[in-house]
Amino acid sequence: GSSDLPPTWAALTMVKAAHVGGKSEEPLGLGVWESEGKLFIEIVNRGAPIWLGSRESGGMSAARWEKFHQALRGADRVSLENFGRKGQKVVIEIKLGSRAAAKSLAASGGLAAAVIPEGEKIEIRPLKPGEEGALSRLFYLVYGYDYVNELVYYPEKLKALAESGDLLSTVAARPNGRLVGHVGLVRKSRNPPVYEAAMGVVDPAAKSRGLFSQLFDRIMETVRATPMQYCLFDFVTNHEYSQRHVAKFQPCELALFIGCQTRKTQAKLERIGLGPDPEGMDRYSLLVSAIPRVAQPFGPEVVLPESIGAAFGFLLKPFNLRWSVSSRFEAMPEGGLCRSQYQPLQSAVAFDLDRPGRGALDGLLGEWRELLRKGCQYAAVEFPLASPGLGMLCDILSSNGFFAAGFVPYRCGAELGFRFQALGPTRVAFDKIKVASETGRRLLEIVRKEYEACAVL
């Protein structure tokens, strides 16, 4: 029936009819995008002219024209722009409110039901073989195609990770088998064994069921049952919801990566029931923490430049790690080795300075200046603490716009490293960064002072 014809399909049918027997050899134009809670469909007609107020448009029959207009009533707004010789552009706007989106998905047999009945039992269990496609669909439902780790959109890659033991998944499933939540343990290193708690996602339709807390409780049972050196966490700080839920497992803060991710790769808080999203921020920050699973995951002692030890040394106590001051007069070697990895999705670059040296550092600074000119917005420099001349290295980085972030498990191994970071022209509102613990707040204040001192220099 005419009422079943979707607005987009109706417009495409009309434009296609206008092209039949037309004199233009130009192809149809089609664009689809989402903005501010609306879906926009743009169709460019280069065939016979179309006028929304005329039944003569494109040579359509009266019956087809009436069916087209009935279908367009399902849209929130339809407009037409005339470009003369270049044809006309039909633009359809459809609001994507959470209720409308869920209704549309359910009606089309899509990704999630509009409402999960109260009292329905949701099972928390391991991911079953063959459910990788359902897991990909769950990530799409919450994030679209913008999730930070692209592998979630490849069921075959998820399957390979699960079969190798590199991904230990816990899911929340409805009685009909539909997945509505997931938290995974991703193996970052085999020797020593290190895992990261990652890929946490909950269907917005189930956000009030306490699934996030249940999933983390179950994944922490897996952590306790799995031999490992430590378990890593990184928390997005546009909210503190996940930090508060994991706090009972006593994660130990290590670093704060200021503005390291674009907001595009994060789920909109309003969409997942945690809104509104913070204003005045182009980029989001990550709080990096770890739960030790052995007595001294990074050894008994580390040597630090006084500037780092005095500011950040308090973070080492939960890891049973002592620190002593390195010589101020220790020279940095010539040469050195640095690897860089550009991250286009985040407009960021990561420098791995695994052998600090003057030559490698000069090359790093030159590359960062070039990337800044090309619009790069974030840079990280990581280096192992068991390196000579770190005092000089830190001084040079600070004088070139870099500021301290904190400690990092170097290459996710048993060696501790440190990260400096720098920002391009972008907005990072320190007052909007959410940290839930007293240690986290102290770390935020120190990193903010480091940033402000670097900006003055």
Side-chain angles (χ1 to χ4, degrees), residues 191-451:
N191 187 22
V194 172
Y195 289 81
E196 179 183 9
M199 297 166 58
V201 63
V202 172
D203 186 329
K207 63 179 181 292
S208 63
R209 301 289 295 268
L211 288 188
F212 184 84
S213 180
Q214 295 176 54
L215 284 164
F216 253 101
D217 286 351
R218 186 65 61 86
I219 208 71
M220 288 308 298
E221 291 179 11
T222 306
V223 169
R224 287 189 287 269
T226 304
M228 65 180 71
Q229 194 95 341
Y230 53 88
C231 184
L232 279 170
F233 298 82
D234 54 41
F235 302 105
V236 181
T237 59
N238 57 330
H239 64 85
E240 58 182 26
Y241 180 79
S242 54
Q243 296 176 52
R244 286 189 281 105
H245 276 282
V246 182
K248 61 184 176 182
F249 302 109
Q250 299 181 316
C252 307
E253 292 83 352
L254 282 168
L256 186 59
F257 301 166
I258 299 294
C260 66
Q261 290 190 352
T262 173
R263 64 186 300 160
K264 182 180 179 182
T265 55
Q266 299 301 325
K268 304 299 182 288
L269 296 187
E270 185 174 2
R271 186 173 182 181
I272 59 178
L274 300 177
D277 285 272
E279 298 179 356
M281 298 179 72
D282 293 330
R283 303 180 66 83
Y284 290 159
S285 305
L286 291 181
L287 177 65
V288 177
S289 303
I291 296 178
R293 296 292 300 145
V294 297
Q296 294 178 321
F298 303 110
E301 188 173 5
V302 68
V303 178
L304 301 174
E306 186 173 7
S307 58
I308 289 180
F312 294 91
F314 72 100
L315 297 171
L316 302 177
K317 187 175 180 180
F319 299 95
N320 297 313
L321 187 58
R322 303 184 304 274
W323 70 274
S324 57
V325 181
S326 62
S327 171
R328 294 182 57 190
F329 305 104
E330 186 178 51
M332 187 166 50
E334 299 296 326
L337 181 63
C338 180
R339 299 177 177 90
S340 58
Q341 181 183 22
Y342 186 52
Q343 303 164 350
L345 186 64
Q346 302 294 349
S347 187
V349 61
F351 295 104
D352 181 357
L353 197 58
D354 65 348
R355 291 211 305 271
R358 290 303 301 262
L361 183 55
D362 289 344
L364 180 159
L365 295 173
E367 186 175 349
W368 172 233
R369 285 191 290 268
E370 181 62 28
L371 287 170
L372 272 175
R373 286 192 286 269
K374 294 179 179 178
C376 190
Q377 295 182 327
Y378 180 84
V381 180
E382 293 188 358
F383 49 86
L385 291 176
S387 303
L390 291 190
M392 181 182 295
L393 171 63
C394 296
D395 289 344
I396 294 174
L397 287 171
S398 296
S399 63
N400 281 274
F402 287 82
F403 59 101
F407 298 103
V408 291
Y410 188 65
R411 294 183 178 175
C412 294
E415 184 177 8
L416 198 63
F418 200 82
R419 175 184 279 215
F420 272 75
Q421 56 195 342
L423 292 170
T426 185
R427 293 181 299 171
V428 176
F430 276 89
D431 293 337
K432 303 291 179 65
I433 294 175
K434 306 293 185 182
V435 287
S437 70
E438 183 59 38
T439 301
R441 287 188 284 271
R442 183 177 174 185
L443 174 60
L444 171 60
E445 186 61 28
I446 291 170
V447 172
R448 182 172 188 169
K449 288 180 179 178
E450 293 278 332
Y451 168 78

